[in-house]
Amino acid sequence: MTLPCSGLKASASAFCLLIATGVPLFAAEQPASSLMSAEVLANGKQLYEVNCANCHGPHAQGAVKAGMEVSIIAERGGKQPPDLTDSAWDHGSSDPEILATIKKGIPLEMMPPYEGRLSDAEIGHVVAYIRSLTSAPAGTPATTRTVASGPKPERTLEVADFVELPVTGDMSSDRVSGPLARGSILRDEPGGQRLFITDLNGPLYILNRQTKQLTSYLNFDGTGSRAGLFPKFTAALGYAAGLMNFVFDPDYAQNGIFYTLHMENPNTPGESMPKAGVVSGLDLSGYTTTQALRTPMIPNATFARDMVVVEWTDRQIGNTTFEGTAREVLRMQMPALFHPLNEITFNPAARPGDADWRVMYVGLGDSGTGERPGPMRMHAQRLDTYHGKILRIIPTLAEHKATSTVSENGRYRIPSDNPFVSVEGARNEIWAYGLRNPHRLAWYVDPARPRDGVLLAFNIGLVSWETVMIVKKGANYGYPLREGMQSMSETNGMGPLPENDVIPVQVSDTVTRGTVKPTYAVAAYPHTPAAGGDAIANGFVYRGKRIPALQGKLVFGDITTGRIWYADMKEVVAADDDNPHTLAPLHELDASLRQLSEQTYRRRGGPSDSLPGRGAIAGSGRVDIRLAEDNDGELYVLTKGDGMIREFLSVK
């Protein structure tokens, strides 16, 4: 969630700011706090949170002090947004200078213009709010101010420790580089007694349910002298990177096939082939890399990362070692470090003979293109790119031969009933589009309609909203022209939806094909301390037996804060009514995950007082959660900061 914002610094002494009427907002002879009305401050706070907080932090302390890296600015080598509450203005301190700077922006420092988005009066209210933040007691660092909390959750969620993941983070004494372990995906083996768990840093573990014994099954990190498989593997901290995902083929119990998704740095010297001899039972004699799937780029641009999907066939699935073959299914180029290909999943309602049997749905972020100015901004809208989309492919060449075509790289098939196969110039793999970062997908199968799977996307927002979408064939979810139930301008400003709520069907940067009405979220929460968080985690519709209170509820969380909510799935489905303002009500569960994670982090040797990382809403320390479910529908929460997996026990 990044938004280029002001490069100004607010004075700690009182100053005179002219608003639209020409009347001073502050008088230089009086303390500013005595002239700031509650109405002005409330309006300024609201405007600041929408327009500025994503870069400058919730208390105007600047991105560096907030512990956040702003993708656009870092990528282009610009200066990080500074503290707005210190003692000097960087771009003039007179009234006309302040107004002109905010209105016209600072292009060299990547601050967009606010002219046309905020009135002079509104700019004055924002500055008044920033001034109010300097009233903290002397010596109070901006980064330690308490973030406001929301209303107390109605119900309590009891969780219990399930397993500690091995420490894979860098625990060197001279720096704190991240979480203890980066557990991301937990999946129950079909028909078995084992759980498979991924760590973004490279390991794929098998967990024996009875003994709680973890065994390293495959290790993807083969960089340098490390004993893993892939020499160009990267799990760089600060971004979604590493061993991203793992999923079983729907027929795994018979064929032993599963799929993995990992990230590589194409600029690392050497070959992309996996290392021979690392896994004694792995036969690489037939393994070859693929031509990377292309995406339109601006001239002279380079690709930052490759996303790689690999098909594995384990011929002896009953043990804890791999014996079999591997095949690269696809390699996709990413133009930036952010919002990569993140999710691979199969429809659990499909059966042999169905059109969806063994058909893979792929959640692919926009690679950070939607928040940057210039020709790449519309990639999530363009049908000639893969980014910001849900893709639908058949990963094995042996399936659905009569109703599909072979892909460009010759390694997978494309279903003939995908919605854009007849659109000239469109990527035939596209199922739905206009999403910023649908980093997790989940299926809901209504017991009354067991053959109809409903696909849900958990989509990370940019400016104001985190959203849950019902994914439909051919649907356009609006980004970067829409977010939540609002419109978004070219400079990422938020506003009301237009009366004629349609957007062009953008085939390429120059070709359009009519218009389409955007599809909107069925559940959402804002980027505010009282009611929301920083970035939506994944979730599941609870189908277990342990917690009757959650039956039929969609349970999901916020990554950084660790907050957990539920919504009645009937209300989620009902919110899919073509009215952008209809959203399922959310109910928060208090699981005390931050407190639990902080205690465990310190107990396990974490080198600082707080959890690693930071968020605009979370403040210091990211709980960093992901949810998981087992074959019985029971739920788990993985917390990266302390490297733990906990199971849901009860709701009171």
Side-chain angles (χ1 to χ4, degrees):
M1 295 161 299
T2 58
L3 177 65
C5 203
S6 171
L8 301 173
K9 295 183 180 180
S11 171
S13 61
F15 56 87
C16 176
L17 175 65
L18 295 177
I19 59 175
T21 59
V23 179
L25 179 63
F26 305 126
E29 297 81 8
Q30 294 178 277
S33 58
S34 67
L35 299 170
M36 296 179 187
S37 73
E39 183 179 358
V40 165
L41 292 180
N43 186 49
K45 181 176 185 293
Q46 181 181 28
L47 292 168
Y48 176 87
E49 288 176 345
V50 169
N51 293 283
C52 311
N54 285 290
C55 281
H56 292 288
H59 298 291
Q61 69 269 45
V64 172
K65 292 184 180 180
M68 297 178 291
E69 182 166 301
V70 183
S71 64
I72 313 166
I73 295 173
E75 179 183 342
R76 298 188 179 187
K79 299 167 72 174
Q80 290 285 336
D83 190 342
L84 298 181
T85 63
D86 62 10
S87 60
W89 288 83
D90 285 352
H91 300 278
S93 58
S94 70
D95 302 334
E97 288 172 325
I98 294 167
L99 286 170
T101 300
I102 296 177
K103 288 169 68 173
K104 301 300 181 183
I106 312 169
L108 293 178
E109 296 186 17
M110 299 168 200
M111 172 186 164
Y114 283 82
E115 189 170 22
R117 297 167 55 187
L118 298 179
S119 68
D120 288 2
E122 288 173 323
I123 292 172
H125 295 173
V126 170
V127 177
Y129 170 66
I130 294 170
R131 281 283 295 111
S132 75
L133 298 177
T134 67
S135 62
T140 301
T143 53
T144 63
R145 294 173 188 150
T146 302
V147 177
S149 60
K152 184 176 176 60
E154 300 173 11
R155 311 186 80 169
T156 299
L157 170 65
E158 182 186 5
V159 298
D161 291 355
F162 183 67
V163 67
E164 292 185 0
L165 294 178
V167 173
T168 57
D170 185 346
M171 300 289 287
S172 58
S173 59
D174 60 335
R175 64 191 178 101
V176 179
S177 60
L180 301 188
R182 299 168 72 191
S184 183
I185 301 292
L186 177 153
R187 298 198 193 278
D188 213 338
E189 182 181 34
Q193 297 296 317
R194 307 180 302 173
L195 290 165
F196 284 68
I197 302 165
T198 65
D199 183 317
L200 292 177
N201 289 331
L204 172 60
Y205 301 110
I206 292 177
L207 176 70
N208 184 298
R209 277 184 171 278
Q210 278 69 43
T211 66
K212 298 291 180 68
Q213 180 70 37
L214 276 169
T215 302
S216 182
Y217 181 55
L218 295 173
N219 180 17
F220 282 63
D221 187 3
T223 60
S225 60
R226 293 174 182 164
L229 281 163
F230 294 95
K232 294 195 175 189
F233 178 86
T234 178
L237 284 166
Y239 310 101
L243 176 54
M244 312 287 285
N245 219 308
F246 166 92
V247 65
F248 293 102
D249 182 275
D251 211 20
Y252 169 84
Q254 282 69 47
N255 61 29
I257 292 175
F258 61 90
Y259 295 88
T260 60
L261 168 64
H262 74 274
M263 179 181 283
E264 294 185 2
N265 182 351
N267 303 307
T268 301
E271 298 294 326
S272 297
M273 283 287 295
K275 295 180 180 179
V278 172
V279 178
S280 60
L282 174 59
D283 178 5
L284 291 172
S285 60
Y287 193 102
T288 56
T289 59
T290 62
Q291 180 68 39
L293 302 184
R294 300 185 302 274
T295 193
M297 290 285 287
I298 57 177
N300 302 317
T302 58
F303 289 98
R305 294 290 186 264
D306 280 351
M307 304 304 304
V308 185
V309 175
V310 178
E311 177 187 273
W312 307 80
T313 302
D314 191 340
R315 298 194 182 102
Q316 300 198 32
I317 60 175
N319 58 25
T320 57
T321 58
F322 183 89
E323 295 93 15
T325 58
R327 181 180 71 93
E328 187 170 298
V329 175
L330 65 84
R331 178 177 294 266
M332 181 174 289
Q333 295 171 324
M334 306 300 295
L337 305 178
F338 325 103
H339 317 156
L341 194 165
N342 233 319
E343 177 70 291
I344 48 178
T345 184
F346 293 96
N347 183 352
R351 297 293 179 266
D354 293 348
D356 242 13
W357 173 245
R358 299 185 74 195
V359 173
M360 178 183 284
Y361 290 78
V362 179
L364 179 56
D366 75 332
S367 200
T369 57
E371 59 217 54
R372 68 180 79 185
M376 295 178 66
R377 181 172 183 269
M378 294 294 288
H379 272 202
Q381 284 295 310
R382 287 171 54 171
L383 294 176
D384 64 345
T385 75
Y386 295 106
H387 304 297
K389 313 291 194 303
I390 306 296
L391 309 181
R392 181 172 177 258
I393 66 172
I394 305 162
T396 176
L397 293 171
E399 197 74 53
H400 299 290
K401 289 183 178 181
T403 55
S404 66
T405 57
V406 177
S407 63
E408 181 181 313
N409 73 356
R411 298 295 184 91
Y412 59 91
R413 289 185 170 273
I414 302 171
S416 299
D417 61 346
N418 276 4
F420 302 106
V421 294
S422 62
V423 177
E424 184 178 357
R427 297 293 185 181
N428 294 342
E429 293 92 335
I430 297 171
W431 184 254
Y433 65 118
L435 294 152
R436 183 174 184 250
N437 191 13
H439 72 123
R440 288 291 179 264
L441 304 174
W443 292 91
Y444 166 59
V445 180
D446 187 337
R449 303 177 65 186
R451 299 298 296 277
D452 296 328
V454 175
L455 183 58
L456 302 170
F458 298 85
N459 182 53
I460 294 178
L462 171 64
V463 181
S464 300
W465 297 99
E466 301 298 301
T467 52
V468 180
M469 313 290 195
I470 291 180
V471 178
K472 303 176 187 177
K473 178 180 181 178
N476 184 331
Y477 295 88
Y479 185 80
L481 304 176
R482 303 286 188 272
E483 181 174 287
M485 65 300 298
Q486 293 179 281
S487 67
M488 184 182 291
S489 73
E490 291 184 0
T491 54
N492 303 328
M494 304 299 292
L497 297 176
E499 185 174 344
N500 183 26
D501 187 18
V502 296
I503 57 180
V505 176
Q506 195 82 32
V507 178
S508 69
D509 59 342
T510 58
V511 177
T512 61
R513 183 174 171 170
T515 60
V516 63
K517 179 178 174 59
T519 301
Y520 289 95
V522 291
Y525 64 85
H527 295 168
T528 61
D534 289 303
I536 194 168
N538 61 329
F540 299 90
V541 180
Y542 183 72
R543 54 187 181 84
K545 297 180 180 179
R546 185 183 293 165
I547 312 176
L550 293 182
Q551 279 287 346
K553 305 295 192 294
L554 173 62
V555 183
F556 63 95
D558 181 73
I559 293 172
T560 63
T561 65
R563 297 174 85 166
I564 293 178
W565 295 274
Y566 69 87
D568 192 296
M569 195 59 199
K570 291 181 180 178
E571 294 178 323
V572 171
V573 172
D576 185 28
D577 63 355
D578 293 327
N579 181 347
H581 300 287
T582 303
L583 295 168
L586 303 185
H587 310 275
E588 187 172 359
L589 295 169
D590 182 7
S592 301
L593 286 178
R594 175 175 290 277
Q595 180 181 358
L596 288 171
S597 295
E598 287 175 343
Q599 292 171 351
T600 307
Y601 177 73
R602 289 190 289 268
R603 175 179 63 79
R604 299 192 68 195
S608 64
D609 291 334
S610 65
L611 293 167
R614 190 172 184 87
I617 303 302
S620 179
R622 291 165 53 108
V623 185
D624 229 334
I625 71 168
R626 299 295 188 278
L627 301 186
E629 70 167 355
D630 62 21
N631 287 344
D632 295 326
E634 301 300 345
L635 297 181
Y636 303 79
V637 58
L638 294 80
T639 49
K640 296 179 186 175
D642 60 353
M644 290 293 297
I645 301 175
R646 297 178 174 88
E647 55 186 335
F648 285 28
L649 292 185
S650 66
V651 168
K652 299 176 182 178

